[in-house]
Amino acid sequence: MSGASFHNAPPLLPRDKASLAAPPAHPRHQKTGTRGPIHRIRWSVLPALGRYASPVILVLLWQAACSTGLISTRLFASPLQILATGWGLAQDGTLQANLGVSLLRAASGLALALATGISLALIAALSRIGENVIDAPIQILRTLPVLALAPLFILWFGIGELPKVLLVALGATFPVYLNLHKGIRAIDPKLLEMAHTIGLSRWQRIRNVILPGALPDLLVGTRLAVSIAWLMLVVAEQINASSGIGHMMMDAQDFLRTDIIFVGLAIYGLLGLISDQGVRILERRALVWRQPSAQGRGQNHD
Amino acid sequence: MTETLSHNKETYQNTSQPAVRVRGLSRRFGNNPPVLHGLDLTIAPGEFVALLGHSGSGKSTLLRTLAGLDPVTEGEVSTPDEISVVFQESRLLPWKTVWENVALAQQSATRAQATRLLDEVGLAHRQDAWPLTLSGGEAQRAALARALIREPAFLMLDEPFAALDALTRLRMQALVATLWQRHHSAVLLVTHDVDEALTLADRAIVLDKGRIRLDMPIPLERPRRHADPVFERLRTQLLEELGVHT
């Protein structure tokens, strides 16, 4: 339909540079279509195998060292032992229960951090008073190592869930705030001028120009916040907890169960990896407008 | 120079209800010489005015004041409620598709309205595209559609084609001529291009050091031919006022 309407356009409205420049775009696409796979096989699959070969060999050596008694399995559980223990913990439900508790803490802390960080950044970046009141204290606070606040948090908030969630939230708030604040400040003033000339209200400007414009920075902040959230959680759960992956690991320490400690480490590692990938996928979806190649949505150049 | 000013006042008195009226507008930044100096300007409804001048002549400040982007500190400015501006850069929001950008400019606009405007500027086939995938000419077409969906009584064009290649610029000029005849807005076109001014405008104004140096009607039939002897004469005159001697 759109094609037809274009052809109906009066000849007074000739095609411009884009229409003329469009045809070369096709050969370019074809090129990536036909030559891409060969390139990929030659240059990305083989090195990828190479990259994974080294860790695999290391794990094999580790197993061999344990099996031959070169390493004491009491201090350094073997990979097979760790797998078996992980399987056992999953079978009796210990792993799921502790994982659930840890996930809930991380998620609540992160949600709190996002809400706080976004609100504070909006206030600080959009009003002069907000900037003066909010930005200076945050810049001072962020130089403190947040983990050092753990003892204080236990005194203030007891030993329940609250101090753990708050510790996660506090650590994760800073990257959200700092990146969003920077992102809002970096928005092209020309776009804000344009928004003014088309009569957008303050709220409409925030919704249509400021937030989407700062979204790339907010997502960078979120990714940092996610990794910090896990870090804070590890510490919070090891200092004082009766459940959670960290608690499971501290318990294992008392019984010299290095295999369980390694299972906990692996879980933390996986959680970090998965959540980071999650934010990356979110980034690709939300910022599709930044990738000119991903134009999708039915256009025709001709 | 005083003659030009009094001529302006007469125009103002003769026009019953101008679309744009500027009286004694001055603008000064710090202790520098004023950017605008007691400027008087009237634009009639539906009139196409081209504004020429060197960099630093006050063109941009005048346009920004008329667009409500700069405050009026000295003098009077009255403009219609419905105004639109097309800038040298398209200033499309890159995170909204082309039609969403167009629809955003009018509170109650529907997708159908945006599509109709995009069709008018010859860009309906790109309405779902992301702005970063548009060429310079396409982006300016979208910016024109966004300006027109507001049904402006006064349209400001701030060197809208300066960044385009020569052929695209010619096509865009023809498009603006067509759109102007269809929408009947008063237009103020800021440009460096004397030919562009003579092709499109009813009146050419040359700004120099914050004052109007020349206010010249362009009494030519449309469409205009560059080979026309009157066109040639006006061209020479404009260039001389701009300090280019041919």
Side-chain angles (χ1 to χ4, degrees):
Chain A
M1 179 216 127
S2 52
S5 60
F6 180 74
H7 289 300
N8 288 342
L12 261 176
L13 315 178
R15 307 169 191 200
D16 53 37
K17 196 176 78 191
S19 322
L20 297 174
H26 288 289
R28 197 189 61 211
H29 282 292
Q30 280 164 8
K31 190 172 113 193
T32 51
T34 53
R35 275 173 54 187
I38 300 164
H39 267 258
R40 235 167 273 143
I41 287 167
R42 199 178 289 161
W43 295 116
S44 53
V45 173
L46 287 183
L49 280 179
R51 281 177 67 83
Y52 290 117
S54 157
V56 167
I57 289 169
L58 279 176
V59 169
L60 288 177
L61 283 176
W62 172 9
Q63 178 64 46
C66 289
S67 306
T68 55
L70 211 64
I71 299 177
S72 155
T73 45
R74 273 183 51 190
L75 295 177
F76 225 109
S78 77
L80 283 175
Q81 214 181 332
I82 294 166
L83 275 179
T85 307
W87 179 248
L89 287 171
Q91 286 285 301
D92 69 9
T94 320
L95 194 61
Q96 290 90 323
N98 285 315
L99 184 60
V101 170
S102 290
L103 276 176
L104 189 65
R105 284 172 186 155
S108 352
L110 206 55
L112 199 59
L114 280 170
T116 319
I118 292 175
S119 321
L120 289 178
L122 278 177
I123 297 169
L126 295 178
S127 83
R128 195 168 288 266
I129 301 171
E131 171 85 11
N132 292 337
V133 172
I134 291 173
D135 198 56
I138 289 197
Q139 297 292 348
I140 295 169
L141 270 181
R142 79 181 180 106
T143 60
L144 277 181
V146 180
L147 288 175
L149 290 173
L152 211 50
F153 269 44
I154 290 169
L155 284 178
W156 286 346
F157 306 111
I159 52 167
E161 290 303 295
L162 192 61
K164 299 172 185 64
V165 171
L166 286 182
L167 208 57
V168 171
L170 186 67
T173 299
F174 292 111
V176 173
Y177 170 86
L178 294 170
N179 281 283
L180 181 58
H181 185 263
K182 183 192 101 200
I184 295 176
R185 282 303 167 89
I187 285 177
D188 187 354
K190 288 178 173 176
L191 291 182
L192 291 170
E193 260 180 25
M194 184 281 300
H196 187 268
T197 65
I198 62 172
L200 295 189
S201 67
R202 186 177 174 81
W203 169 238
Q204 285 172 321
R205 279 205 300 270
I206 292 177
R207 202 166 64 88
N208 293 300
V209 185
I210 293 171
L211 281 181
L215 186 62
D217 291 287
L218 175 61
L219 286 169
V220 169
T222 305
R223 244 172 76 195
L224 285 171
V226 166
S227 56
I228 289 183
W230 291 122
L231 185 70
M232 304 302 288
L233 188 72
V234 170
V235 175
E237 288 189 333
Q238 291 189 354
I239 288 178
N240 193 309
S242 52
S243 58
I245 299 292
H247 162 75
M248 189 181 85
M249 289 164 75
M250 290 312 283
D251 246 13
Q253 185 200 333
D254 293 342
F255 301 99
L256 276 176
R257 290 289 302 272
T258 52
D259 52 342
I260 297 184
I261 296 179
F262 274 112
V263 170
L265 278 177
I267 297 288
Y268 275 139
L270 278 177
L271 286 176
L273 205 67
I274 291 169
S275 49
D276 193 63
Q277 278 301 317
V279 181
R280 273 171 197 270
I281 290 169
L282 199 70
E283 243 170 10
R284 261 203 298 278
R285 289 263 172 96
L287 305 182
V288 62
W289 53 267
R290 284 215 297 199
Q291 305 163 343
S293 55
Q295 31 191 290
R297 303 223 243 166
Q299 300 137 25
N300 92 61
H301 287 269
D302 303 327
Chain B
M1 209 166 286
T2 41
E3 276 169 46
T4 328
L5 284 175
S6 60
H7 163 74
N8 262 346
K9 273 175 195 155
E10 273 165 38
T11 321
Y12 159 66
Q13 281 156 2
N14 293 343
T15 318
S16 49
Q17 273 192 320
V20 176
R21 200 190 63 183
V22 176
R23 302 273 288 160
L25 176 66
S26 292
R27 191 79 207 279
R28 182 190 288 274
F29 296 102
N31 288 327
N32 303 317
V35 179
L36 295 176
H37 200 147
L39 197 87
D40 291 336
L41 172 68
T42 309
I43 302 176
E47 190 182 19
F48 200 130
V49 175
L51 182 62
L52 295 117
H54 291 283
S55 311
S57 60
K59 296 188 311 265
S60 302
T61 309
L62 175 57
L63 182 124
R64 291 179 58 85
T65 309
L66 291 175
L69 293 171
D70 276 4
V72 179
T73 48
E74 202 184 325
E76 277 173 49
V77 169
S78 88
T79 53
D81 290 336
E82 308 80 25
I83 59 169
S84 285
V85 191
V86 176
F87 299 94
Q88 184 176 335
E89 327 81 19
S90 67
R91 302 197 185 183
L92 299 169
L93 298 174
W95 43 84
K96 290 190 178 289
T97 60
V98 168
W99 82 263
E100 286 169 339
N101 265 287
V102 173
L104 188 66
Q106 178 66 276
Q107 301 287 341
S108 55
T110 60
R111 166 139 204 190
Q113 272 172 293
T115 306
R116 191 172 52 78
L117 262 305
L118 283 166
D119 197 27
E120 261 189 66
V121 301
L123 205 64
H125 63 301
R126 296 286 272 149
Q127 57 180 308
D128 287 317
W130 296 111
L132 292 182
T133 67
L134 299 182
S135 70
E138 285 178 321
Q140 284 308 71
R141 281 169 194 262
L144 269 175
R146 179 178 62 193
L148 291 174
I149 202 171
R150 294 170 58 73
E151 292 170 16
F154 179 40
L155 173 64
M156 282 161 273
L157 307 172
D158 187 5
E159 304 186 33
F161 316 132
L164 304 179
D165 67 83
L167 286 176
T168 310
R169 195 181 313 148
L170 289 179
R171 294 191 181 109
M172 292 298 285
Q173 287 167 4
L175 174 63
V176 164
T178 313
L179 292 172
W180 172 64
Q181 276 163 3
R182 205 179 299 164
H183 289 264
H184 309 295
S185 320
V187 178
L188 181 69
L189 168 71
V190 174
T191 180
H192 275 117
D193 185 340
V194 169
D195 286 340
E196 184 170 286
L198 290 172
T199 306
L200 293 171
D202 297 316
R203 221 168 103 205
I205 291 174
V206 174
L207 211 58
D208 186 29
K209 299 192 184 80
R211 297 170 194 265
I212 290 178
R213 185 187 170 97
L214 173 78
D215 187 342
M216 181 183 83
I218 307 171
L220 286 169
E221 291 295 313
R222 291 182 169 89
R224 290 172 174 165
R225 292 179 304 111
H226 291 208
D228 191 319
V230 184
F231 192 106
E232 271 302 316
R233 188 173 55 74
L234 294 173
R235 187 169 187 274
T236 310
Q237 194 182 343
L238 267 183
L239 283 172
E240 291 211 342
E241 293 293 340
L242 288 163
V244 182
H245 301 283
T246 47

